[in-house]
Amino acid sequence: ADTSVESLKAQIDALSKKVGELEAKEEKSEPFAGVSIGGRLQLDYNLFDGAYNANHQGHTGSDLFARRARLFAEKESGDWDYKLLLEFAEDGAEITMARLQYKGFNGGPVIKLGKIREDISLEALSSSKYITTIERSNLADTFSPYFRWGVAAYQYFPTSKVRYAIGVYKNDAFGDSGKNKNNNLDLATTGRLTWAPIQGDGKTLHFGLWGSYREMGGDTLSSAFARGEVRETSVKLADYAAGGETVAIDHLTQYGLEAAGQWKAFSLQGEFAQRQLHTTDTTSPLDGQHYNGYSVTASYFLTGEQRQYKAGSAVFSQPKGVKNAWELYGRVSGMDAASDTQGTKVTSYTLGSSYYYSPQVKLMLNLIHSKVGGPGRAALVGDEDTGNALTFRTQYLF
Amino acid sequence: ADTSVESLKAQIDALSKKVGELEAKEEKSEPFAGVSIGGRLQLDYNLFDGAYNANHQGHTGSDLFARRARLFAEKESGDWDYKLLLEFAEDGAEITMARLQYKGFNGGPVIKLGKIREDISLEALSSSKYITTIERSNLADTFSPYFRWGVAAYQYFPTSKVRYAIGVYKNDAFGDSGKNKNNNLDLATTGRLTWAPIQGDGKTLHFGLWGSYREMGGDTLSSAFARGEVRETSVKLADYAAGGETVAIDHLTQYGLEAAGQWKAFSLQGEFAQRQLHTTDTTSPLDGQHYNGYSVTASYFLTGEQRQYKAGSAVFSQPKGVKNAWELYGRVSGMDAASDTQGTKVTSYTLGSSYYYSPQVKLMLNLIHSKVGGPGRAALVGDEDTGNALTFRTQYLF
Amino acid sequence: ADTSVESLKAQIDALSKKVGELEAKEEKSEPFAGVSIGGRLQLDYNLFDGAYNANHQGHTGSDLFARRARLFAEKESGDWDYKLLLEFAEDGAEITMARLQYKGFNGGPVIKLGKIREDISLEALSSSKYITTIERSNLADTFSPYFRWGVAAYQYFPTSKVRYAIGVYKNDAFGDSGKNKNNNLDLATTGRLTWAPIQGDGKTLHFGLWGSYREMGGDTLSSAFARGEVRETSVKLADYAAGGETVAIDHLTQYGLEAAGQWKAFSLQGEFAQRQLHTTDTTSPLDGQHYNGYSVTASYFLTGEQRQYKAGSAVFSQPKGVKNAWELYGRVSGMDAASDTQGTKVTSYTLGSSYYYSPQVKLMLNLIHSKVGGPGRAALVGDEDTGNALTFRTQYLF
């Protein structure tokens, strides 16, 4: 042993002490280990006129508001994980999602419990932080109840590239209180089957099919199906009861088709869906009535980035590590909420661009033009049969 | 110095660099050090009929709901610590607890300030995450206001194994607004004294006594005392006003007795409590009226685990590190909310089993049978003088 | 290589393993790195009589309540940072602040978006955790809308010691819904200019000037301007409509002056502000009406600590690392909400003391005496033309 060894010894002792201190600190903070906290802010400024502001003579209206101010807490414990997603507003808070998952069936399905997203519509299933446009289509807003209390199972088969999801939910959506006249649960049973034969190497091809049977327990179907893809306007453009009456429903059936393709920076996605009413009073002219919707979106990243396809959940998300990127997109969507003597149909055209400063920060500008028709048009919007909107979003994820 | 010493030197330098980086990161995350985040989800599915759903002809009713979706933030600063416990619902949020504690009086009491749990009833004092059955007894729900704004002191004496707790609270409970006619606080003064002569080595023996004096400022006592140990039913079975009238109260007095024993995997706990009304109108037939309740619970861990007794707070919690364990339990509880001409009495029988997947995950199944009697029975439930329920809970702690 | 070298080698290997484990843990906790969580509790007990409780014959009233129970989450991402500040109450939650900031313009302004504090009044701009007295002055409460949705820019020039701030906000304050008759935003434009020629070495001198132009869209100005510096009382003492009527407003203009000085443990700060009404009906006797307010606060740390001046935001905060410190202070503030035939004027005198246990824990005791006058006095408080209050706060920051 010489001096150099002595000096090494001293260095090792000093290092040992520091490592011990770090371990002690790490130990102390152990309770929080594994609890993840994050959220999002979507701050929107909207300008709109015509049909969107029909009950103010179609004058230009506007609003500035937090479209979503959310926080989540997430924690894994072995085969279980839990995510609580909270929405805060100026005058309230609510649970958006409370999802408990069990992933312990190796080679079997994942089980989800709690307030979870129903498997309806590709666009409705995409997280609001990753959708292409500022708002989802009239189709998604009409057909999806978004998050409901229930239990579901899903599984992806990597060899066949097929995925299924099936769930049962409390149907407190679309005007249903969630209970029937006996104070018993109204249930919704919903399933989705997808197939993504091409994945990776800059190419994706996705096909999907979903269906939902929804007990309504005699409650009244809410009149407004969709707003026309702009928030905080004073009129909701797709309204099956405009010029007529709302109706009490025994049950609803809904189904939909999805197709999506991606080739490098370009992507295209389309959906079709139909709802059928089964009224409590079987002599109602609305018994058996069908309502159809469709939506087609095309998007191109001028800077070449590629959206990611998540095979496990069969949805798209934003390009990985996206930075300083520009995206251009357009959408056409229609929702026919008209029957013989009442209701409206709306067609909405969107042209938009998004600038990704980073995966956390995105700025979005959308122009929307909507046309309203159908027997209930005059009752809903008078002479204001078209509406225009400019919407701007600042999005921050953490 | 030879090559091996040279190589050691290089290794030490590399380690030093890594330790420095870890220290820098640790430093940066310092602000959060000590803030603890966690919570719980209790997701319940309930089926019930008869008296529980009497205003729906006793048909089978059901519900699926988050019984508790909570988040907490906790932080220690020297002799002070603070815990904020928040409850989230589908359409709101509220403070369940906001407890600031001072623990600086060595050998003296701990002082608690804020929204804190009143020291009433062993079962009401047990955290909802550790109670044996899915719901607490009719006794606990009748007599405990749970968390109230106030100040309290408590102390445990290890030599005598005696513990006391005493507090003064804003009495915004049981129908009181918390204020009297002058806009002055209605106060509740509550104390509890416990003695646990046997502790440890698989054996516990606990005795307790509590009392509460509650100003009501002339406000009306709420008619429903307890639900009958099932949530989200449409009728609350213990109701002192059924078939008669509610009454304005000057003050309430309440007291209770507790006894609990544990021998290895087996535990038994019993409580008795009484409430006396002091009405504003001293000619009211309800002036001086007593209402009594009792509850007896027996529990056995088939897999041999033992509940833990926390001497500092004089309550039980679940077995430490419990995993893959099965528990069987039963309870009988009665609440007599009947006077000469009005009110009901309810007796509830519970049989249940819990499966502990881990300390974080528990599944519970309870069967409840309740009988309703008393002069107000017909007014409250008509002919539906019994009710049955099946309740199922999935609990996740983090 | 000898045994001592061998032993060093073994020590290094052991250390390497530990460092590797620490790095793995650090890596795993990476997602949360940078999300900061904290908050505050202000638990208040208030006693008050006379004018403050005039609709209860001036008897002594009291309350115990959480004045503020807040949580925040904060996250920096490069040049952007976001802070979400939430307020929780017994029966609700709300967004207090949701501030997204961009600090990427080197040598240029900082941009703020979201729900942010309007730059009105030195005391209103000081964080509630650092204000000298328990409540802010009548002036601050009358003139500041506190946090509003909008966009603002600010910049501090270190050479000239001048700072400006300018912003545009949705004016959903003072009774305005935030929208005009066309469903279009009512905007408020607000600016503040400050100069702090002396800073540091125990001395501060600060001068400020602010102004605000606020569209009200024909909405009615809320009658109560300020409470008289005590919360949860039943009467708000500064009321422009007392004994008369509220009025619909086209727009408001407001401006104010600030001056503050600090010399070691002593500090003095004063403000003056004026509001002018521009009513919708230009024949209203209140059209063009001016309302004035002022406030002067003196504070002295008996234990010698010094408040800190934050040049970047042009406000004061508590002494750095304050511990076991005593502060004495007094304030006089007046708000004249009287016109010729209606409204009240209030003068409030506060004497108070604060004990800082630590930077986290502060105990405060304030005595407040208020006098009410003006043509609306009798209508508002009858003969109770003075009011007294004792307020006590326990504050915990984390």
Side-chain angles (χ1 to χ4, degrees):
Chain A
D2 59 16
T3 40
S4 120
V5 171
E6 287 304 310
S7 119
L8 287 183
K9 217 170 186 151
Q11 286 178 52
I12 288 173
D13 289 348
L15 266 180
S16 286
K17 208 184 142 206
K18 281 189 193 175
V19 168
E21 286 166 7
L22 281 170
E23 284 180 327
K25 277 192 191 171
E26 197 70 34
E27 192 90 358
K28 217 182 143 188
S29 69
E30 203 70 37
F32 334 110
V35 179
S36 163
I37 299 286
R40 79 189 68 166
L41 174 70
Q42 293 175 338
L43 184 66
D44 287 13
Y45 174 69
N46 288 1
L47 264 176
F48 46 84
D49 68 9
Y52 289 117
N53 209 20
N55 49 7
H56 298 88
Q57 298 86 49
H59 287 309
T60 298
S62 60
D63 208 355
L64 172 70
F65 58 100
R67 177 64 176 89
R68 293 181 184 89
R70 291 188 175 166
L71 274 186
F72 68 79
E74 194 167 12
K75 172 73 189 277
E76 251 187 67
S77 298
D79 287 328
W80 294 80
D81 70 77
Y82 176 55
K83 185 169 188 173
L84 179 65
L85 179 58
L86 300 167
E87 174 92 39
F88 293 95
E90 282 233 67
D91 58 352
E94 58 174 46
I95 296 176
T96 295
M97 181 175 86
R99 186 189 64 204
L100 184 61
Q101 271 190 141
Y102 179 70
K103 298 190 272 192
F105 296 125
N106 289 315
V110 174
I111 307 297
K112 297 192 289 185
L113 292 168
K115 192 171 183 188
I116 52 182
R117 208 189 286 258
E118 280 197 42
D119 290 274
I120 288 182
S121 161
L122 175 60
E123 194 177 36
L125 284 162
S126 305
S127 171
S128 72
K129 62 190 181 194
Y130 296 143
I131 49 173
T132 303
T133 49
I134 287 179
E135 293 297 334
R136 291 192 182 90
S137 69
N138 290 315
L139 180 157
D141 284 346
T142 299
F143 291 93
S144 175
Y146 297 105
F147 298 90
R148 295 295 131 186
W149 295 96
V151 54
Y154 69 88
Q155 189 166 4
Y156 173 65
F157 300 93
T159 37
S160 60
K161 292 176 175 160
V162 165
R163 181 189 185 270
Y164 74 84
I166 179 96
V168 181
Y169 310 88
K170 176 176 180 176
N171 186 32
D172 51 351
F174 306 133
D176 189 346
S177 67
K179 298 284 195 89
N180 67 14
K181 304 302 181 207
N182 287 341
N183 198 27
N184 206 345
L185 282 171
D186 281 332
L187 296 178
T189 306
T190 299
R192 182 177 178 240
L193 191 69
T194 53
W195 180 47
I198 303 178
Q199 292 179 38
D201 200 26
K203 284 176 265 178
T204 310
L205 192 60
H206 160 107
F207 299 102
L209 169 70
W210 60 262
S212 184
Y213 180 96
R214 315 185 72 84
E215 297 174 357
M216 294 285 289
D219 283 334
T220 298
L221 183 65
S222 300
S223 60
F225 282 1
R227 297 169 177 270
E229 307 181 356
V230 182
R231 293 288 292 206
E232 306 304 307
T233 58
S234 56
V235 181
K236 299 177 181 180
L237 304 184
D239 188 319
Y240 84 99
E245 298 205 330
T246 55
V247 67
I249 303 285
D250 182 75
H251 67 278
L252 290 179
T253 50
Q254 298 190 156
Y255 78 94
L257 303 170
E258 313 165 0
Q262 182 198 14
W263 190 71
K264 296 190 176 163
F266 178 75
S267 63
L268 186 68
Q269 100 181 29
E271 300 194 64
F272 171 82
Q274 186 175 88
R275 165 180 289 172
Q276 189 175 10
L277 309 193
H278 303 268
T279 58
T280 307
D281 170 6
T282 52
T283 68
S284 162
L286 288 177
D287 194 37
Q289 178 71 38
H290 291 87
Y291 298 110
N292 300 324
Y294 70 89
S295 168
V296 180
T297 308
S299 155
Y300 182 67
F301 275 90
L302 302 176
T303 36
E305 288 76 6
Q306 301 177 10
R307 292 170 82 196
Q308 295 179 82
Y309 184 71
K310 304 282 184 185
S313 40
V315 295
F316 290 90
S317 67
Q318 71 183 12
K320 201 174 169 170
V322 63
K323 223 170 186 168
N324 205 22
W326 286 92
E327 184 185 12
L328 265 184
Y329 43 85
R331 180 172 64 201
V332 184
S333 98
M335 185 64 224
D336 184 346
S339 50
D340 285 350
T341 58
Q342 69 179 57
T344 59
K345 35 183 122 183
V346 61
T347 311
S348 299
Y349 304 86
T350 301
L351 193 67
S353 179
S354 298
Y355 171 68
Y356 297 76
Y357 174 89
S358 69
Q360 283 77 45
V361 178
K362 177 164 69 157
L363 306 176
M364 307 172 81
L365 181 74
N366 284 191
L367 300 170
I368 302 104
H369 174 76
S370 285
K371 288 194 300 185
V372 189
R377 181 193 55 73
L380 188 72
V381 295
D383 293 336
E384 302 287 344
D385 60 355
T386 64
N388 295 295
L390 177 156
T391 63
F392 179 73
R393 170 170 295 171
T394 307
Q395 173 171 297
Y396 185 82
L397 308 180
F398 64 102
Chain B
D2 60 17
T3 40
S4 120
V5 171
E6 287 304 310
S7 118
L8 288 182
K9 215 169 187 150
Q11 285 178 51
I12 290 173
D13 288 350
L15 267 178
S16 287
K17 209 186 142 204
K18 282 189 190 174
V19 168
E21 285 166 8
L22 280 170
E23 284 180 328
K25 277 192 191 170
E26 198 69 36
E27 193 90 359
K28 217 183 145 189
S29 69
E30 203 68 38
F32 334 109
V35 178
S36 164
I37 300 286
R40 82 189 65 166
L41 173 71
Q42 294 174 338
L43 183 66
D44 288 13
Y45 174 69
N46 288 1
L47 264 176
F48 45 83
D49 68 10
Y52 288 117
N53 208 20
N55 49 9
H56 298 88
Q57 298 86 46
H59 288 308
T60 298
S62 60
D63 209 354
L64 172 70
F65 57 101
R67 177 65 177 90
R68 292 179 184 90
R70 290 186 176 169
L71 274 186
F72 69 78
E74 195 167 12
K75 173 73 190 277
E76 252 187 68
S77 297
D79 287 328
W80 295 79
D81 71 77
Y82 176 55
K83 185 170 188 173
L84 178 66
L85 179 59
L86 301 168
E87 173 92 40
F88 293 94
E90 281 232 70
D91 57 354
E94 58 174 47
I95 296 175
T96 294
M97 182 174 86
R99 185 188 65 203
L100 184 60
Q101 271 189 141
Y102 179 71
K103 299 189 271 193
F105 296 125
N106 290 314
V110 174
I111 307 298
K112 297 191 291 184
L113 293 168
K115 191 171 184 188
I116 53 182
R117 208 189 285 259
E118 280 198 43
D119 289 274
I120 287 182
S121 162
L122 176 58
E123 195 176 37
L125 284 161
S126 305
S127 171
S128 72
K129 61 190 180 194
Y130 296 143
I131 48 173
T132 302
T133 48
I134 287 179
E135 291 296 334
R136 292 192 182 88
S137 70
N138 290 314
L139 181 157
D141 284 345
T142 300
F143 291 92
S144 174
Y146 298 104
F147 298 89
R148 295 296 130 187
W149 295 97
V151 54
Y154 70 88
Q155 189 165 5
Y156 173 65
F157 301 94
T159 38
S160 61
K161 293 176 175 160
V162 165
R163 180 188 185 274
Y164 75 83
I166 178 95
V168 181
Y169 309 88
K170 176 177 180 176
N171 185 32
D172 51 352
F174 306 134
D176 189 346
S177 68
K179 296 287 196 87
N180 68 13
K181 305 301 181 206
N182 287 341
N183 198 26
N184 206 345
L185 281 172
D186 281 332
L187 295 177
T189 307
T190 300
R192 181 177 180 240
L193 192 69
T194 53
W195 179 46
I198 303 179
Q199 292 179 37
D201 200 23
K203 283 176 266 180
T204 309
L205 193 61
H206 161 106
F207 299 102
L209 170 69
W210 60 263
S212 184
Y213 180 96
R214 314 185 74 83
E215 297 174 357
M216 294 285 288
D219 283 334
T220 299
L221 182 65
S222 300
S223 60
F225 281 1
R227 296 169 178 268
E229 307 180 355
V230 183
R231 293 289 291 207
E232 305 306 307
T233 58
S234 56
V235 182
K236 298 178 181 181
L237 304 185
D239 188 319
Y240 85 99
E245 298 205 330
T246 55
V247 67
I249 303 285
D250 182 73
H251 68 279
L252 290 179
T253 49
Q254 298 191 158
Y255 79 92
L257 303 171
E258 313 165 359
Q262 180 198 15
W263 190 70
K264 298 190 177 161
F266 178 76
S267 62
L268 186 68
Q269 102 180 27
E271 300 196 61
F272 171 83
Q274 188 174 87
R275 166 180 287 173
Q276 191 175 11
L277 309 193
H278 303 268
T279 59
T280 306
D281 170 5
T282 53
T283 67
S284 162
L286 289 177
D287 194 35
Q289 179 68 39
H290 291 87
Y291 297 110
N292 299 325
Y294 71 89
S295 167
V296 180
T297 309
S299 154
Y300 183 66
F301 275 90
L302 302 176
T303 37
E305 287 77 6
Q306 300 178 10
R307 294 169 81 195
Q308 295 179 81
Y309 184 72
K310 304 282 185 186
S313 40
V315 293
F316 290 89
S317 68
Q318 70 182 14
K320 200 174 171 170
V322 62
K323 222 170 187 168
N324 204 21
W326 284 93
E327 184 184 11
L328 265 184
Y329 43 83
R331 180 172 65 199
V332 184
S333 99
M335 186 64 224
D336 184 346
S339 50
D340 286 350
T341 58
Q342 68 179 58
T344 58
K345 35 182 118 183
V346 62
T347 311
S348 299
Y349 304 88
T350 301
L351 193 67
S353 180
S354 297
Y355 170 69
Y356 297 76
Y357 174 90
S358 70
Q360 282 77 45
V361 179
K362 178 163 67 157
L363 306 178
M364 308 174 79
L365 181 74
N366 284 193
L367 300 171
I368 302 105
H369 174 77
S370 284
K371 287 194 301 185
V372 188
R377 181 193 54 75
L380 188 70
V381 295
D383 292 335
E384 304 286 345
D385 59 355
T386 63
N388 295 294
L390 177 156
T391 62
F392 179 72
R393 170 170 295 171
T394 306
Q395 173 171 297
Y396 185 84
L397 309 177
F398 63 101
Chain C
D2 59 15
T3 39
S4 118
V5 170
E6 288 303 312
S7 116
L8 288 183
K9 214 169 186 152
Q11 287 178 52
I12 289 174
D13 288 349
L15 267 179
S16 286
K17 208 184 142 206
K18 283 189 192 173
V19 168
E21 286 166 8
L22 281 170
E23 284 180 327
K25 278 193 191 170
E26 198 70 35
E27 192 92 356
K28 217 181 142 189
S29 68
E30 203 70 37
F32 334 110
V35 178
S36 163
I37 300 286
R40 78 190 67 165
L41 174 70
Q42 294 175 337
L43 184 66
D44 286 14
Y45 174 70
N46 287 1
L47 264 176
F48 46 83
D49 68 9
Y52 288 118
N53 209 20
N55 48 9
H56 298 88
Q57 297 85 48
H59 288 308
T60 299
S62 59
D63 209 354
L64 172 70
F65 58 100
R67 178 65 176 89
R68 290 179 185 90
R70 288 186 178 169
L71 274 186
F72 68 76
E74 195 167 11
K75 173 74 190 277
E76 252 187 68
S77 298
D79 287 329
W80 295 80
D81 71 76
Y82 176 56
K83 185 170 189 173
L84 178 65
L85 179 58
L86 300 168
E87 173 93 40
F88 293 94
E90 283 232 66
D91 57 353
E94 58 175 46
I95 296 175
T96 294
M97 181 174 86
R99 185 189 64 204
L100 183 61
Q101 271 189 141
Y102 179 70
K103 298 189 270 193
F105 297 125
N106 290 313
V110 174
I111 307 298
K112 297 192 288 185
L113 293 168
K115 192 171 183 188
I116 53 181
R117 209 188 285 261
E118 279 198 43
D119 289 275
I120 287 181
S121 162
L122 176 58
E123 195 176 38
L125 283 162
S126 305
S127 171
S128 72
K129 62 191 181 194
Y130 296 143
I131 50 174
T132 303
T133 48
I134 287 179
E135 291 297 334
R136 292 192 182 90
S137 70
N138 290 314
L139 180 156
D141 285 344
T142 298
F143 292 93
S144 175
Y146 298 104
F147 298 90
R148 295 295 131 188
W149 296 97
V151 53
Y154 70 88
Q155 188 167 5
Y156 173 66
F157 301 93
T159 38
S160 60
K161 292 175 175 161
V162 165
R163 180 190 185 273
Y164 75 84
I166 178 95
V168 181
Y169 310 88
K170 177 177 179 176
N171 186 32
D172 50 353
F174 306 135
D176 189 345
S177 68
K179 297 287 195 89
N180 68 13
K181 305 302 182 207
N182 287 340
N183 198 26
N184 206 344
L185 282 171
D186 280 333
L187 296 178
T189 306
T190 299
R192 180 176 180 241
L193 190 70
T194 54
W195 181 45
I198 304 178
Q199 291 178 38
D201 201 24
K203 283 176 266 181
T204 310
L205 194 60
H206 161 107
F207 299 103
L209 169 70
W210 60 263
S212 184
Y213 180 94
R214 316 185 72 83
E215 297 173 356
M216 294 284 288
D219 284 332
T220 299
L221 184 64
S222 300
S223 61
F225 281 2
R227 295 169 177 270
E229 306 179 356
V230 182
R231 291 289 292 207
E232 307 305 307
T233 57
S234 56
V235 182
K236 298 178 182 182
L237 305 184
D239 188 320
Y240 85 99
E245 298 204 330
T246 55
V247 67
I249 303 286
D250 181 74
H251 68 278
L252 291 179
T253 50
Q254 299 190 157
Y255 78 92
L257 303 171
E258 314 165 358
Q262 180 198 16
W263 190 72
K264 295 188 177 165
F266 179 77
S267 63
L268 186 70
Q269 102 181 27
E271 300 195 63
F272 170 82
Q274 187 175 90
R275 165 180 289 173
Q276 190 175 11
L277 309 194
H278 304 269
T279 59
T280 307
D281 169 7
T282 53
T283 68
S284 162
L286 289 177
D287 194 36
Q289 179 69 39
H290 291 88
Y291 298 110
N292 299 324
Y294 70 91
S295 167
V296 180
T297 309
S299 154
Y300 183 66
F301 275 90
L302 303 177
T303 37
E305 287 77 6
Q306 300 177 12
R307 292 170 83 196
Q308 294 178 82
Y309 184 71
K310 304 282 183 184
S313 41
V315 294
F316 290 88
S317 66
Q318 71 183 13
K320 200 176 170 167
V322 62
K323 221 169 187 169
N324 204 20
W326 285 93
E327 184 184 11
L328 264 183
Y329 44 83
R331 180 173 64 200
V332 184
S333 98
M335 185 65 225
D336 184 345
S339 52
D340 287 349
T341 59
Q342 68 179 58
T344 59
K345 33 183 120 181
V346 61
T347 311
S348 300
Y349 304 86
T350 301
L351 194 67
S353 179
S354 298
Y355 171 68
Y356 296 75
Y357 175 90
S358 70
Q360 282 78 44
V361 179
K362 178 163 68 156
L363 305 177
M364 307 174 80
L365 181 74
N366 285 192
L367 299 170
I368 303 105
H369 174 78
S370 284
K371 289 194 300 187
V372 188
R377 181 193 54 73
L380 188 71
V381 295
D383 291 336
E384 303 286 344
D385 60 355
T386 65
N388 295 295
L390 176 155
T391 63
F392 179 73
R393 171 169 295 172
T394 307
Q395 173 171 297
Y396 186 83
L397 308 179
F398 63 102

